[in-house]
Amino acid sequence: MSKEDYIKVEGMVIDVLPGNQYRVMLENEHTVLAYLSGKMKQHRIHVIEGDKVDVEMSAYDLARGRISYRHK
């Protein structure tokens, strides 16, 4: 598995945590701890509770993920 391989799922932000981290409920009712991707920080995209987001997760750690897109 290379660095570019990841699992992409949709979810909803249910909690905003300190340290730029978010608790996200996935479509399959699992909860993961996620952080913003570098491009989202660079372009100052804000994510609040209730936003639908795309989360990229590694196959090695399914409890953590990276938020890559916020749906409008």
Side-chain angles (χ1 to χ4, degrees):
M1 183 170 241
S2 70
K3 185 170 98 173
E4 290 82 24
D5 291 341
Y6 54 83
I7 302 165
K8 193 170 188 179
V9 293
E10 280 191 28
M12 181 180 291
V13 176
I14 57 172
D15 196 13
V16 178
L17 304 171
N20 203 16
Q21 294 189 348
Y22 304 88
R23 191 152 320 271
V24 179
M25 176 74 73
L26 302 178
E27 293 175 326
N28 56 6
E29 301 299 322
H30 283 88
T31 306
V32 297
L33 185 65
Y35 62 92
L36 287 181
S37 70
K39 285 287 185 182
M40 289 186 72
K41 287 184 204 173
Q42 179 183 4
H43 294 291
R44 296 185 180 102
I45 297 173
H46 297 284
V47 176
I48 59 173
E49 213 171 295
D51 282 348
K52 290 189 185 257
V53 294
D54 285 345
V55 179
E56 299 173 351
M57 298 172 23
S58 169
Y60 297 111
D61 188 8
L62 298 176
R64 296 183 55 85
R66 175 178 57 226
I67 298 174
S68 61
Y69 186 77
R70 180 180 65 97
H71 294 280
K72 297 186 182 205

